[in-house]
Amino acid sequence: MIFTTAARGALALSTLPLLTMLVGAVLGAEALTARKTTGVLITILGVSMALLSGLATAPPGAWRGDLLMIAAALCMALYSIWSKPYIRCSGPIPFTTLAMAAGAVVLIVASLLRGSFAPVADFGAPQWFGAIYLGAFGAALTFYLWAFALERTTPTRVAISVTVNPISASLVGAALLGEPLSWNLVAGIVTVFVGIRIATTEPPLAHAVAPDMR
């Protein structure tokens, strides 16, 4: 996010369902179907439409941030696919607890090496509230719900929920900050949910009904 904009970063992260679907197919964890592929591509199109105004501007070298966000999405795709059998064995709460503990150790070590704890001494109530909120809801609860969903459905169906994030952020911005609801945002919202509907449902089976000859 240092190198790119919020809109471009959100769009890069929205490639997560596409990467999850492709990696899952390569690893044999999930079947690649035309309907699922169509739905995922439509959701990415919807995110692009919703973020249309923010995608036009980019700082110099924004491609570095875009690639890093896509690399992060690829890591999350591999995590979703490889963690599924372990979540089924241990359950979402033990798995999330151990995963977050391992991640916390890595971040603490990295922060100590970079001297990143120095600003903590100047934290006030707003900063501590923000840190606690992000840790409890932005990390612990989010990853628990992610693991809970992975235990019960396919990685692509879980990953496609990421495309709702920029849509939700835009709606919250409109509600709390008075940001305008543009036509492209409304069109993007509709497109995203159409894509999710297509990707997460199966086509109705056509049952041939034999005519009654009696």
Side-chain angles (χ1 to χ4, degrees):
M1 294 302 297
I2 295 175
F3 301 111
T4 189
T5 64
R8 292 170 67 97
L11 180 59
L13 191 60
S14 72
T15 61
L16 175 58
L18 178 62
L19 294 173
T20 302
M21 181 179 63
L22 295 177
V23 172
V26 171
L27 298 179
E30 190 175 348
L32 184 64
T33 65
R35 184 181 181 86
K36 193 189 305 179
T37 303
T38 301
V40 168
L41 292 177
I42 289 176
T43 59
I44 296 177
L45 175 62
V47 173
S48 303
M49 294 171 63
L51 302 175
L52 191 60
S53 58
L55 295 175
T57 58
W63 61 270
R64 293 177 296 175
D66 300 338
L67 288 180
L68 286 170
M69 291 296 290
I70 293 175
L74 178 59
C75 290
M76 194 63 188
L78 292 170
Y79 167 86
S80 298
I81 293 168
W82 284 338
S83 64
K84 187 176 178 68
Y86 299 102
I87 294 172
R88 282 182 171 175
C89 291
S90 63
I93 292 181
F95 181 85
T96 303
T97 302
L98 183 58
M100 290 198 63
V105 169
V106 173
L107 288 175
I108 289 172
V109 171
S111 298
L112 290 173
L113 293 175
R114 294 175 56 88
S116 300
F117 281 112
V120 175
D122 298 325
F123 273 15
Q127 289 77 21
W128 280 113
F129 175 80
I132 293 171
Y133 175 82
L134 289 174
F137 296 96
L141 180 60
T142 299
F143 274 92
Y144 164 72
L145 293 175
W146 193 274
F148 184 85
L150 280 175
E151 187 182 24
R152 289 161 172 78
T153 189
T154 63
T156 299
R157 286 186 172 184
V158 178
I160 204 170
S161 63
V162 169
T163 58
V164 180
N165 287 356
I167 301 297
S168 302
S170 298
L171 292 177
V172 171
L176 300 183
L177 303 177
E179 296 178 353
L181 284 174
S182 57
W183 69 266
N184 57 293
L185 175 60
V186 176
I189 292 172
V190 174
T191 305
V192 164
F193 282 101
V194 168
I196 291 175
R197 173 69 178 176
I198 293 173
T200 57
T201 56
E202 297 297 330
L205 296 176
H207 296 286
V209 180
D212 192 351
M213 303 300 293
R214 291 177 297 173

